[in-house]
């Protein structure tokens, strides 16, 4: 039988109201009293009636995280961090997957399941800017990642242009000049790939290296197999690149395998840089140089925006760093 507030109050020698204040996080409780009540809660195994608390507060304690692919290493790692950080805030995360399907993204954008949650963290791939502008659902929404036409909506992202410029600049500083960019998605409405292409082009321009259009290679998806196919095509050209900036680590890992299949040595013959800093890249041979978004900070900032008081939408930039490993530099000695 679940103990009641009265049982905890008797055990701790305080009033029921004091126990209620502790359970509900009321800050004006003496530290010693709070500790005594918490000790009684732990000793008796008291659990609050969440349904009753929801009715009183008008909140569920649930947030939704909507991603295109939960089996994508980047989104899986971001989801894991979001769940851990949310738990520290007494929140539960419900995860949904859209597969980048436009209709499914529209349904979730316009309120499907939103009655269940206090807010939505949303990483769309296919939804059009007009759909964002037409959203009428009042549940707080924060976009994760850049998206054209996202004015009027909170979103959290790293500076993709700056990150791509740094990654390409690193390859240029190593003496590479025929640098391919792998990851353009012409049919995608997500602005991330276009921003990474812009950063790549900026770095080339700053170094006085002409941008060769045929070195900017489109892919259908952002998976290892797509990187493998595109890299094989690049390596089979009469003038293959001497470096590749891949828009995701999955693409870079596929490209790394293609180089091995063609007998191309990395990084001596071909330098590679990825993006996302997924765990697999730390264990590839050579280990993958990559842009590392601060996934913990992205999750924290997004949850902060969901909890913020209503106000003008904000575009928040999360930190990133370039992690240099063996696919772009030859180890000393």
């Amino acid at each position: 039988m679940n103990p009641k507030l009265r049982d905890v109050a008797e055990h701790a020698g305080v009033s029921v109201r004091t126990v209620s204040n502790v359970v509900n996080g009321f800050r004006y409780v003496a530290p010693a009293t709070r500790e005594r009540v918490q000790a009684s809660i732990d000793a008796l195994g008291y659990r609050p009636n969440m349904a009753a608390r929801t009715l009183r507060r008008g909140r569920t304690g649930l947030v939704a995280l909507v991603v295109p692919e939960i089996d994508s290493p980047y989104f899986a790692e971001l989801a894991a961090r979001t769940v851990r950080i949310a738990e520290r805030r007494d929140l539960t995360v419900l995860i949904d997957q859209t597969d980048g399907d436009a209709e499914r993204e529209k349904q979730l954008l316009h309120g499907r399941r939103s009655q269940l949650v206090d807010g939505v963290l949303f990483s769309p791939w296919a939804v059009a800017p007009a759909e964002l502008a037409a959203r009428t659902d009042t549940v707080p929404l924060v976009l994760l990642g850049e998206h054209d036409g996202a004015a009027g909506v909170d979103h959290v992202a790293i500076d993709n242009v700056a990150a791509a410029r740094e990654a390409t600049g690193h390859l240029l500083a190593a003496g590479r000049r025929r640098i391919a960019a792998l990851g353009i998605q012409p049919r995608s409405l997500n602005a991330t790939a276009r921003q990474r292409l812009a950063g790549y082009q900026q770095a080339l321009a700053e170094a006085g290296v002409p941008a060769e259009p045929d070195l900017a290679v489109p892919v259908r998806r952002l998976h290892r197999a797509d990187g493998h196919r595109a890299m094989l095509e690049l390596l089979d050209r009469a003038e293959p690149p001497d470096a590749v900036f891949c828009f995701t680590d999955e693409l870079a890992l596929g490209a790394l395998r293609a180089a091995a299949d063609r007998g191309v040595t990395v990084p001596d013959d071909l330098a590679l840089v990825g993006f996302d800093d997924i765990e697999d890249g730390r264990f590839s041979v050579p280990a993958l140089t990559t842009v590392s978004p601060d996934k913990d900070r992205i999750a924290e900032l997004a949850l902060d925006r969901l909890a913020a008081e209503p106000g003008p939408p904000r575009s928040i930039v999360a930190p990133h760093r370039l992690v240099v490993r063996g696919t772009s530099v030859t180890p000393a000695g």
Side-chain angles (χ1 to χ4, degrees):
M1 184 176 178
N2 186 38
K4 302 185 182 321
L5 281 178
R6 184 176 295 103
D7 300 320
V8 177
E10 290 176 357
H11 189 274
V14 298
S15 68
V16 171
R17 183 178 183 82
T18 297
V19 176
S20 177
N21 287 341
V22 172
V23 169
N24 288 290
F26 187 64
R27 59 179 177 170
Y28 299 113
V29 177
T33 302
R34 187 182 300 277
E35 289 179 12
R36 189 162 76 252
V37 171
Q38 188 60 55
S40 295
I41 288 171
D42 295 340
L44 296 176
Y46 171 76
R47 295 292 179 270
N49 184 327
M50 296 308 296
R53 290 180 70 182
T54 295
L55 288 172
R56 287 197 302 271
R57 295 180 174 187
R59 299 181 66 82
T60 67
L62 304 175
V63 296
L65 173 63
V66 181
V67 297
E69 300 173 330
I70 194 61
D71 54 351
S72 158
Y74 172 77
F75 287 116
E77 291 180 14
L78 180 62
R81 285 162 169 76
T82 302
V83 167
R84 283 196 291 269
I85 293 167
E87 283 179 344
R88 296 200 292 266
R89 304 182 182 199
D90 293 325
L91 296 171
T92 299
V93 180
L94 306 179
I95 300 174
D96 210 333
Q97 173 175 286
T98 66
D99 292 312
D101 178 75
E103 188 56 38
R104 185 168 176 78
E105 289 188 355
K106 289 177 188 176
Q107 290 175 5
L108 291 163
L109 182 67
H110 291 294
R112 178 184 172 189
R113 300 185 185 174
S114 64
Q115 71 275 13
L116 302 174
V117 299
D118 297 327
V120 180
L121 306 178
F122 193 16
S123 183
W125 274 359
V127 71
E131 291 291 340
L132 289 170
R135 182 177 186 262
T136 58
D137 187 34
T138 58
V139 171
L141 172 75
V142 177
L143 296 184
L144 301 178
E146 294 294 350
H147 197 285
D148 285 337
V153 181
D154 281 313
H155 74 276
V156 176
I158 68 166
D159 186 336
N160 280 288
V161 175
R165 188 169 63 244
E166 290 168 29
T168 308
H170 167 68
L171 293 169
L172 289 161
R176 312 291 173 153
R177 287 299 178 268
R178 281 187 55 79
I179 303 172
L182 202 164
I184 302 168
Q185 290 186 286
R187 289 191 293 264
S188 175
L189 293 173
N190 192 339
T192 298
R194 287 189 291 278
Q195 293 190 356
R196 292 177 188 177
L197 177 65
Y200 156 83
Q201 292 170 334
Q202 284 182 18
L204 293 177
E206 289 166 3
V209 175
E212 300 181 39
D214 65 339
L215 287 179
V217 182
V219 294
R220 191 176 69 87
R221 306 284 283 186
L222 301 173
H223 300 159
R224 294 169 179 84
D226 300 280
H228 184 264
R229 280 191 295 270
M231 191 73 246
L232 288 178
E233 190 273 325
L234 282 166
L235 292 174
D236 289 343
R237 293 181 181 182
E239 290 187 79
D242 60 5
V244 182
F245 167 47
C246 297
F247 291 4
T248 71
D249 281 355
E250 284 196 79
L251 291 172
L253 291 171
L256 183 60
R257 174 55 189 264
D261 290 346
R262 287 292 187 267
V264 174
T265 302
V266 175
D268 295 340
D269 301 326
L270 178 74
L272 281 173
V273 176
F275 208 113
D276 289 338
D277 194 18
I278 64 174
E279 187 176 15
D280 288 355
R282 298 166 214 164
F283 294 93
S284 64
V285 181
L288 184 62
T289 294
T290 185
V291 173
S292 179
D294 190 334
K295 302 180 189 79
D296 284 322
R297 192 65 182 138
I298 290 171
E300 289 170 351
L301 290 168
L303 289 168
D304 286 347
R305 286 308 299 161
L306 286 185
E309 293 295 323
R314 291 183 57 194
S315 177
I316 302 173
V317 179
H320 71 272
R321 63 192 177 98
L322 180 67
V323 180
V324 178
R325 301 191 183 108
T327 58
S328 65
V329 294
T330 303

